[in-house]
Amino acid sequence: MKKSALITGILGQDGPYLAKFLLEKDYKIYGLLRRYSNPSFVNPEYLGIQDQIEYVDGDLTDESSLINVIKSIRPDEVYNLAAQSFVGASWQQAKLTTEVNAVGVLSLLNAVKFFSPTSKFYQASTSEMFGLSNSDGFQDENTPFHPRSPYGISKVYAYWMTVNFRESYNMFTCNGILFNHESPLRGIQFVTRKITDGVAQIKLGLADHIILGNLEPKRDWGFAGDYVEAMYLMLQQDEPDDFVIATGETHSVSEFVEAAFAAVGISNWKQYIKIDPRYKRPAEVPHLRGRVDKARKKLGWKPKVAFEELVKIMVEADIARYTIKKSFG
Ligand code: NAP
Ligand code: G4F
């Protein structure tokens, strides 16, 4: 019998990478689809897996749709990747962010508990939960949470609800506390993709600057393709648990900009950058760097793609996109 997995957030960045990874392990993949009038399948198409996913209708804010989905497919594994995931928007849409990222997770956990209690459950938790907590320069599974945005706060609720279902109902529920991970499928609003898209345009003569909010924050950036393997590994353990997934390296936004320009042979990058306070956040997370010892030891996981390589992959993918666009007129 094939194993089956339900992936929420199937059209985002991580969903298609996870689906591809699981398809290679011969899983049957169900993807939760919430947009009907104009869904965008570009990400699964980019990875060449679009026709191998069975889409099922549902929205994290609509509990009955989640019940229907869980009841009808009873998947072996549920990967909850759906979220209002853009930190910057979470101040403007704090209630929506809470409804999707916090209450939505409770609804999904309840649907699993009542209609498929043996399904293993993965929750997409985040380093944003650590926020200001950074006592020795690293964050790990024992670091206290100090979220700095409505997004971070919503994810702390979902984290504890996932732990609580494990402790209260003996369910196999895990939190992956993932640090920033990027790829050519990253949404264009996120700083890495905004930079690589801008560098590609500048290189091709389509733009002459990139507008950013703040060059100082530091992030632990890895490759999404590596991180989805860790999600899978968490659900294959004998016991459910929570794991930090990161590279252990940190770089500032300006270092990312520098590396992206270097990838196209431009060294005088400062002349192409403008700063606009509109993109600055009311409360910033200044420094993220994960300590990934637990995942290395227990999951045997480690990142494969290094920082410079990741930046280069993203810049080259954006150049290729614009080159194809140009050649089709
Ligand atoms: P993403 O690209 O923003 O994808 C999120 C997906 O969630 C989108 O496909 C979106 O659907 C879907 N979604 C939003 N609201 C929904 C709702 N009400 N019901 C059902 N689906 C909904 O995010 P990602 O980068 O792949 O991240 C995946 C998960 O990991 C998220 O939960 C994120 O918060 C978390 N995370 C990400 C990172 C990172 O660095 N990428 C790090 C830590 C944790 P549409 O396509 O229809 O808009
Ligand atoms: O790329 P970002 O928007 O990602 P952020 O806020 O770190 O969140 C991402 O990673 C989290 C994991 O830690 C996920 F949970 C979350 O879902 C998401 O995937 O911003 C990165 C940094 C921030 O410090 C931001 O203030 O870049 C800074 N930044 C500076 N100028 C900018 C800009 N961010 C964006 N999006 N746009 C700017 O112009």
Side-chain angles (χ1 to χ4, degrees):
M1 274 283 278
K2 268 190 176 210
K3 271 194 169 183
S4 62
L6 169 69
I7 303 177
T8 73
I10 189 70
L11 302 184
Q13 171 188 249
D14 291 3
Y17 277 107
L18 178 62
K20 188 170 170 32
F21 179 86
L22 295 176
L23 283 165
E24 282 160 8
K25 297 205 168 294
D26 204 30
Y27 275 60
K28 162 86 183 159
I29 300 298
Y30 297 93
L32 191 80
L33 187 66
R34 65 142 178 165
R35 266 191 293 181
Y36 306 108
S37 54
N38 189 18
S40 168
F41 297 105
V42 288
N43 285 350
E45 277 164 359
Y46 192 94
L47 297 185
I49 54 163
Q50 164 62 357
D51 56 0
Q52 296 172 67
I53 297 167
E54 184 169 332
Y55 291 100
V56 288
D57 300 344
D59 190 300
L60 277 203
T61 60
D62 183 342
E63 191 161 16
S64 62
S65 72
L66 301 176
I67 289 171
N68 281 337
V69 164
I70 295 293
K71 214 171 155 181
S72 63
I73 63 180
R74 297 180 201 275
D76 294 299
E77 295 169 10
V78 177
Y79 294 88
N80 181 36
L81 310 185
Q84 189 305 91
S85 79
F86 188 46
V87 175
S90 73
W91 280 273
Q92 280 75 44
Q93 301 193 359
K95 187 160 177 262
L96 175 82
T97 302
T98 307
E99 280 164 359
V100 179
N101 299 4
V103 184
V105 180
L106 172 59
S107 302
L108 186 55
L109 281 164
N110 266 327
V112 173
K113 177 186 158 214
F114 287 119
F115 298 102
S116 188
T118 56
S119 297
K120 294 180 174 180
F121 183 89
Y122 173 88
Q123 167 58 17
S125 287
T126 164
S127 46
E128 275 292 304
M129 300 187 304
F130 298 126
L132 273 190
S133 262
N134 170 35
S135 52
D136 65 348
F138 285 89
Q139 291 102 354
D140 66 18
E141 293 82 0
N142 299 315
T143 305
F145 298 143
H146 184 150
R148 294 274 281 169
S149 62
Y151 169 83
I153 294 163
S154 70
K155 286 284 188 172
V156 170
Y157 174 95
Y159 170 93
W160 283 117
M161 208 39 99
T162 300
V163 171
N164 191 254
F165 270 62
R166 182 165 80 217
E167 293 177 351
S168 304
Y169 309 118
N170 206 22
M171 285 167 60
F172 197 110
T173 62
C174 300
N175 283 288
I177 309 173
L178 272 53
F179 283 60
N180 297 52
H181 45 280
E182 318 296 314
S183 74
L185 304 191
R186 187 55 139 157
I188 197 82
Q189 295 293 337
F190 297 92
V191 80
T192 54
R193 187 67 206 297
K194 192 173 168 184
I195 294 165
T196 60
D197 178 78
V199 167
Q201 291 198 53
I202 289 167
K203 179 68 182 171
L204 298 172
L206 302 170
D208 57 13
H209 65 273
I210 304 170
I211 305 176
L212 297 172
N214 188 356
L215 294 178
E216 284 167 21
K218 293 189 161 185
R219 291 289 181 274
D220 179 329
W221 278 298
F223 173 54
D226 290 348
Y227 284 38
V228 297
E229 184 189 6
M231 300 176 187
Y232 161 79
L233 288 172
M234 283 177 219
L235 297 199
Q236 313 314 310
Q237 301 307 300
D238 291 337
E239 299 295 333
D241 204 348
D242 310 313
F243 292 89
V244 157
I245 299 298
T247 69
E249 262 186 46
T250 191
H251 295 273
S252 63
V253 173
S254 61
E255 283 167 351
F256 194 102
V257 175
E258 188 174 4
F261 276 105
V264 295
I266 296 175
S267 56
N268 56 343
W269 58 271
K270 285 187 180 145
Q271 71 184 75
Y272 297 107
I273 301 298
K274 292 187 179 167
I275 299 294
D276 186 330
R278 267 188 310 153
Y279 296 107
K280 207 167 174 171
R281 296 184 178 166
E284 183 56 84
V285 171
H287 185 281
L288 290 177
R289 183 179 190 183
R291 187 187 284 110
V292 75
D293 298 1
K294 182 175 172 183
R296 275 183 195 268
K297 200 168 152 211
K298 292 200 166 171
L299 304 179
W301 180 88
K302 60 174 193 277
K304 297 186 185 92
V305 177
F307 177 72
E308 276 79 14
E309 192 187 348
L310 169 67
V311 178
K312 195 162 173 278
I313 289 170
M314 291 177 70
V315 171
E316 284 173 358
D318 278 320
I319 289 178
R321 280 186 175 109
Y322 282 107
T323 311
I324 292 164
K325 252 191 219 164
K326 258 187 173 174
S327 65
F328 283 99

